[in-house]
Amino acid sequence: MAVEKPHGDLDNYEELRDELGYDYDDVGEYVDLAADLRSVVDGEVRFDEYAQVLYATDGSIYKARPAGVVLPRDIEDVQTTVRVASEHGVPIIARGSGSSLGGQAVGPGCVVLDMTTYMDDILEIDADRKRARVQPGVVQDHFDERAAEYGLKFAPDPASSNRATIGGGIGNNSTGAHSVRYGITDAYTEELKVVLEDGSLVHTREVVLDSDEWDAIVSKDDREAEIYRTVRRLVEENEDEIERRYPKLKRNVSGYNLNKVVYENDAGETVINLSKLLVGAESTLGVVVEAEISLVTLPEETALVLYCFDDLLDALEAVPEALEFDPSAVELMDNEVFRLARESEQFSRYEEPIPDGTEAALMLEFDSELHDDFEEQIGRTNAHFVENGDAFETLEAYTDEDQTKLWKLRKAAIPLLMSLEGDPKPYPFIEDATVPPEELAEYVEKFIDVLEDHDTSAAYFAHAGSGTLHIRPILNLKDDAGIQTMQSITDDVTDLVLEHEGSFSGEHGDGLARTAFNPKMYGDDLWKAFKAVKSAFDPEWWMNPGKVVYTDEEPTDMRDNLRYGASYASIEHQTKLDFSDEGGFTHLVELCNGCGTCRQTDDVMCPTYRGMKDEIATTRGRANMLRAAISDDLPEDEMYSERFQEEVLDLCVGCKGCKSDCPTGVDLAKLKAETKYQYHEREGIGLRERLFGNIDTLSKVGSRLAPLSNVGQKLPGSRLVMETVAGIAPERELPSFRRESLQDWFANRGPRVDPADADRKVVLFPDTYTNYSYPRPGKAAVRVLESAGVHVEIPADTGPSGRAAYSVGMLDTAEERARANVERFDEYLDDGYEIVTIEPSDAVMFQDEYLDLVPSATAERVAVHSYGIAEYMDVHRLVEQLPLEETDETLAYHGHCHQKSTGKDHHAVGVLRRAGYAVDPIESTCCGMAGSFGYEAEHYDLSKSIGERLYEKLERSDGNPVASGASCRSQIGDEYDETPPHPIEKIEERLPRS
């Protein structure tokens, strides 16, 4: 049956960009090509400098500026683009999410086909045949989510599956942790529709050799016939070399699959299926525009057990033994992965259970299709590896939640390693060499010798069960010596791989990193055959040149086109914020390794990407643009241009999701605040930014003038004036003001718990919105805290937190407010008080940003003793002290993105549940309002587009909406005409009325 587009069918991406005024002025030598493409392509054509920078990198160590980018809408667009580019003599690269690690998705002077924006449909899922038809741009996790409705899944599961596309996986012949059980992508790719270099479309599938169908194909005088004849001839002529040279492994994704293109099918017929050859070809033979894939049944249950070893080689020696127990996955992590996870804000909680002294751990998964009794099976493996083996401790995980924690730790290994401080990094270039599992320990022992010979070390992790270890030597590729060492290590490792009859690439493909070594790995005869295959499909060699094969005139060299390289230089700016913890502004920018986690659609980041599906709206895109701006990849002072500010920085909503969700911790919200500040220093501050940055002052005036100030907003023409003068979206309902502020109310009321009788004392911080517009959560917090025996003060002498000023880059103002608050809070702390906020973004301001604005021991003290209201109640278990009435109400809780980014989101769920509510935590990203962002006229539609994800999940929930953030409540209220309450209001509802 046909399946609708996953995660909503938003076709307004281009319209959103038009509203934002994106500039796609063509540059360089490709202006005529761009014009010709625009005249015939329905999709988007971008040949401007920003597009070139954005698509110059992928998840690898390489960088090469393309000619431009095309976002095709359909197969015809792809055909047209290929034809026009070929006529201009410009190569083509097909690209999915750009998460590839070998440099497959970059190339100098190419036209990049980004298949992810429009060509991402699931066309059909045939549950009876266990088949599906998809477009290449569909993200694998999105597909698996839909296939799971039929009890099915696509078997290959790369660690990047939450953003990697099925088309990219076909191009790379991807696999993942479960290759022990299922194999790799070529086993599940049945039919393809492929655009060749001349723009023709071919349909590859099983063709029985010497059948009528075969004769009909090869009798023609066209490209397709020549391909079939050539491939068959090459397979037959090289039968002995194919048998001798191709490794006998579950994983080999190097070279062309001449060993798999001719085979005996289930009916016992000898067939040729070019689909198997196109898998892993890295778009060097053609562009896949549609795929029919086979699926496997989804196991109903799985279980994990992790075995801890005090020696890496002991863990590796245990791998072939582990395979005897029929696991569906056998994964390895070493102590370097654990160390980095321990130091990571996002992943430290997943590393906590790992016992001290663990030098390496083997993780075994069992599924219900192979094992009936998990506990019995794990009991057998425990007896083997612990009681009679070298493992000293185990971690068993039977629930989905516990298993997810271990898998998140394992999948984070690659990007975590790239977060190492300084220029030396554990770079990917020989990291997926594969050997038979029974030889893995011996191979690694010799590998260690190679590293010692080159005076470096590495981390070890990944798919031990299939003999694939991701081993990443730590090198400085900004240095000539480091670059030459990379080449030398690769020479030695390829020798070692050949010695063990292994594969140089068991997962990440050839790309720019490994193509140069294919002649060495396969020998002269097969290398000539590879080139003949290339020429048959692509006579002019226009398709992704330099990958898999190369010409004698232009050999591929792994040292060329490096992202950094010996000539790379960048400018380290003098900054207002403290970047010492990140190693400086530049180092924080360069932490982005291109892994593309920001293109995922779970967790928090990156909300604007989800709203508009544009590379420039990702954390990676912004980091790439910043890196280009501080090096020589963009014109001097480009970072201070209006275009850079509007297209790169203004679309960052400051959700801080990247600080936690980005495995390397690229804190774009902080980088944006600093860069906006530097821009203001040069160009001044605009009216709207001044208004929003000083919203507390405006709100104070509005409160004093209420209700007259509220009437003014309702006058005819007032919304047009606000849009014209200040750029405020007329569709938005602005907050109204209360005559009596929260501070006024409390001053008249006073505290009801004597400090001498209280176990705890708090300063309840009066944020701007709660103080002047919506005091109910503040009043509820006072009543709840006092009911729990807490003495509460709402000071009249504290100013705003500075969050609003910080968000628009008014850092001098933010610093002034931070300094004043830190000094005042310090006095309260001396008297035994703690600081509690209603608004989550203010709590995080005290806990995080104050440390950058006014770095000091006092600021650190304030950070330690600051809490959001739900966090405070949860940490001190105050709900248990309340005389609450019973309720059967269900709540749908949406957490603030700042809470999520700092790991504080669970507190509200916990206190609401202990207060008697059934709580459905909504797994959603930023609501889209993001403070002032949703009020800005040019961002209104994007804000609503981001919010669609939240609305969809609220609609599917049985609970009544509740949200901590004022922005979140406004966004939800605008959609449903009823503003949801703050969690503290729901707790206060359960208190007896006096």
Side-chain angles (χ1 to χ4, degrees), residues 178-242:
H178 293 88
S179 62
V180 166
R181 171 93 154 86
Y182 297 111
I184 61 180
T185 297
D186 57 41
Y188 301 93
T189 304
E190 308 299 341
E191 301 184 18
L192 296 173
K193 290 184 180 178
V194 180
V195 174
L196 301 179
E197 172 266 342
D198 61 355
S200 62
L201 182 70
V202 295
H203 176 201
T204 65
R205 70 278 186 196
E206 286 189 355
V207 176
V208 178
L209 291 179
D210 300 323
S211 64
D212 291 343
E213 184 179 19
W214 166 265
D215 292 340
I217 292 173
V218 299
S219 64
K220 297 176 183 177
D221 184 21
D222 61 11
R223 177 73 57 82
E224 183 179 19
E226 176 62 22
I227 290 170
Y228 272 98
R229 289 192 296 263
T230 300
V231 172
R232 179 177 184 177
R233 174 179 58 79
L234 291 171
V235 170
E236 292 173 350
E237 289 177 354
N238 292 278
E239 185 176 357
D240 292 340
E241 276 293 275
I242 289 171

Side-chain angles (χ1 to χ4, degrees), residues 617-637:
T618 64
T619 302
R620 176 176 71 179
R622 296 182 187 107
N624 276 332
M625 294 301 296
L626 281 169
R627 189 185 66 251
I630 62 177
S631 60
D632 60 355
D633 274 1
L634 283 173
E636 187 177 358
D637 292 342

Side-chain angles (χ1 to χ4, degrees), residues 331-359:
E331 298 289 292
L332 179 135
M333 293 174 278
D334 79 343
N335 63 342
E336 184 67 3
V337 173
F338 297 142
R339 182 186 69 81
L340 290 169
R342 192 161 51 245
E343 296 171 359
S344 162
E345 187 170 349
Q346 181 186 4
F347 293 100
S348 59
R349 62 187 182 275
Y350 304 131
E351 190 276 338
E352 285 178 4
I354 305 298
D356 293 341
T358 302
E359 289 296 309

Side-chain angles (χ1 to χ4, degrees), residues 170-317:
I170 290 171
N172 194 58
N173 202 1
S174 293
T175 183
H178 293 88
S179 62
V180 166
R181 171 93 154 86
Y182 297 111
I184 61 180
T185 297
D186 57 41
Y188 301 93
T189 304
E190 308 299 341
E191 301 184 18
L192 296 173
K193 290 184 180 178
V194 180
V195 174
L196 301 179
E197 172 266 342
D198 61 355
S200 62
L201 182 70
V202 295
H203 176 201
T204 65
R205 70 278 186 196
E206 286 189 355
V207 176
V208 178
L209 291 179
D210 300 323
S211 64
D212 291 343
E213 184 179 19
W214 166 265
D215 292 340
I217 292 173
V218 299
S219 64
K220 297 176 183 177
D221 184 21
D222 61 11
R223 177 73 57 82
E224 183 179 19
E226 176 62 22
I227 290 170
Y228 272 98
R229 289 192 296 263
T230 300
V231 172
R232 179 177 184 177
R233 174 179 58 79
L234 291 171
V235 170
E236 292 173 350
E237 289 177 354
N238 292 278
E239 185 176 357
D240 292 340
E241 276 293 275
I242 289 171
E243 175 64 24
R244 186 169 73 89
R245 284 283 188 171
Y246 279 86
K248 309 299 187 292
L249 299 167
K250 287 183 178 290
R251 292 162 166 260
N252 176 47
V253 300
S254 186
Y256 291 130
N257 286 338
L258 287 175
N259 60 326
K260 296 181 178 179
V261 68
V262 177
Y263 56 92
E264 188 175 287
N265 67 10
D266 293 339
E269 302 164 316
T270 301
V271 300
I272 183 169
N273 188 345
L274 295 180
S275 306
K276 308 298 183 180
L277 188 64
L278 287 154
V279 176
E282 301 179 5
S283 78
T284 62
L285 304 180
V287 179
V288 173
V289 291
E290 187 179 308
E292 182 168 317
I293 54 178
S294 54
L295 310 176
V296 298
T297 53
L298 189 65
E300 292 184 6
E301 293 180 297
T302 58
L304 282 176
V305 57
L306 186 138
Y307 293 101
C308 303
F309 294 81
D310 58 14
D311 183 83
L312 172 65
L313 294 179
D314 285 344
L316 295 172
E317 290 280 6

